[in-house]
Amino acid sequence: MRFLIECTYVYEHPQDNSGIQRVVRNIVRELGAAQPEVECVPVMMNGGQLYRVLSLAPLTVDRGATRRQALIVRLDHLRNRYWWWHSRLERLWPFRRSPLARRLLYWPCKLASLAITLPLRGLLWANRNAQPAPQRAVPLQARAGDQLILLDSSWHDDFFPLAEKLKRQGVGIVSVIYDLIPLTHPQFCDEGLVKVFDRWFDWIAETADGFMAISQTISRQVATEIQRRLGAEAAARRWHGHFHLGSELDLQHKDARLDADLQRMFRDPAPVYLMVSTIEPRKNHRYLLDAFELLWAQGSDVRLCIIGKIGWKCEELVERIRQHPQQGKRLFMFNRINDKSLEYAYAKARALIFPSYVEGFGLPLVEAMQRGLPAMASDIPVFREVGGDYMAYFDLAEPQSLASQIAQFECTGEFPAQRPLGDWRWLGWREACQQLIAGTLAGLRSGARQPDHSVHANRL
């Protein structure tokens, strides 16, 4: 038996650096060092074929094929961005109130989109028989008894036929689940993603033999959703486990430069509180601003630094930040910084604040705490699972709850957690990889007898 660790999206988009891509890269990097009980092979899917991945880093081999593939990726991103802007436009007056207005908007937009989709389809046709660069990936023949572990963001890819073919050949299917937010909290997601994710989950519920979630909280949600969709009898034939994520930042290139504006901000001795995440409604930046405006109204000199790329459904929020009277004084926003600059911010900040409504894990919390930076977070189950008594929690119903904690911390110097951060321990990516492999093996061996078979270590 081999574990075939799927990493298609990261293979095709090696420069992307959001949470899932970071997880995939680090797990794949640690496969050799993890010394698992089974052979682990990173794989990607292309053109209905399975390939062994030799390198996730982009390598220039065939310049023509490389440029063509790069153009395909850029056009695909442009198409997604185009329809994202369309969805934003639909939410404005008069389109949000009138189905007729939305239809009148759609057809001109559809015709205009041909300027993107026709060249994209042409390139895809020209590239239909292209093989991955042999220095990066080589064909792989799956064998009966292998386990295909869908580690990457597989809902974006249409590889259902290949996975089903492999299953008919005796290959097991294991799905890694990061969260169920498009299902449990669709109001925070783009409508297109909600539909795609729901369709994918229907397929994965029917197809997968087992599920590995990135927290016990999510594992329980998955088990409940599987039972709701399939019924108790069919759901009982699936096994469930979980593992936890590491915290090392892996894209710190030697030639990377520290952001000059970030350095300049930290030269001021006034304390800086850090928020690290994509800017989108689910992350709850509005609550954060409300809390800090309470502090500033009381004369506090604390500063707020927001780090993260601009996401979706956040136009009013971004405008509020950019036009804020404290912008550049006690309020700062950085949308494009590298891992070296992020590491610098973790080292210099006073504390991390994470006011999310819902998360699958909350990787910035672990990244901060592992570096000795205390963290304050919304009081939701997954954050309690990750932070335990070593983190401070605030009430999302009342911004004063966070403002009071910060004021107390500034006044007394004592962080408002029940236990000192110095006693907290967390795993690295090597241990996270070991948990994934061990938890999958445990699930395969024990079948569906219990709701969660993971071998995991909350504190190492």
Side-chain angles (χ1 to χ4, degrees), residues 145-215:
D146 287 346
Q147 300 294 320
L148 177 63
I149 301 178
L150 301 176
L151 179 64
D152 215 333
S153 51
S154 55
W155 55 88
H156 292 295
D157 293 304
D158 187 15
F159 61 77
F160 297 174
L162 175 56
E164 291 166 359
K165 176 184 175 182
L166 293 173
K167 187 161 187 178
R168 289 193 296 270
Q169 295 172 352
V171 175
I173 306 291
V174 178
S175 179
V176 173
I177 306 291
Y178 292 90
D179 61 65
L180 297 184
I181 292 169
L183 305 180
T184 60
H185 296 76
Q187 69 272 25
F188 295 135
C189 304
D190 182 78
E191 291 180 10
L193 173 61
V194 173
K195 293 176 182 177
V196 167
F197 193 91
D198 184 67
R199 172 175 171 263
W200 170 81
F201 199 86
D202 266 343
W203 177 81
I204 204 67
E206 291 281 357
T207 308
D209 306 296
F211 300 85
M212 288 293 292
I214 60 170
S215 65

Side-chain angles (χ1 to χ4, degrees), residues 288-307:
L288 195 60
L289 282 174
D290 290 344
F292 272 80
E293 284 175 351
L294 290 172
L295 289 164
W296 294 331
Q298 298 165 7
S300 175
D301 65 346
V302 296
R303 293 178 293 161
L304 172 61
C305 175
I306 295 170
I307 292 178

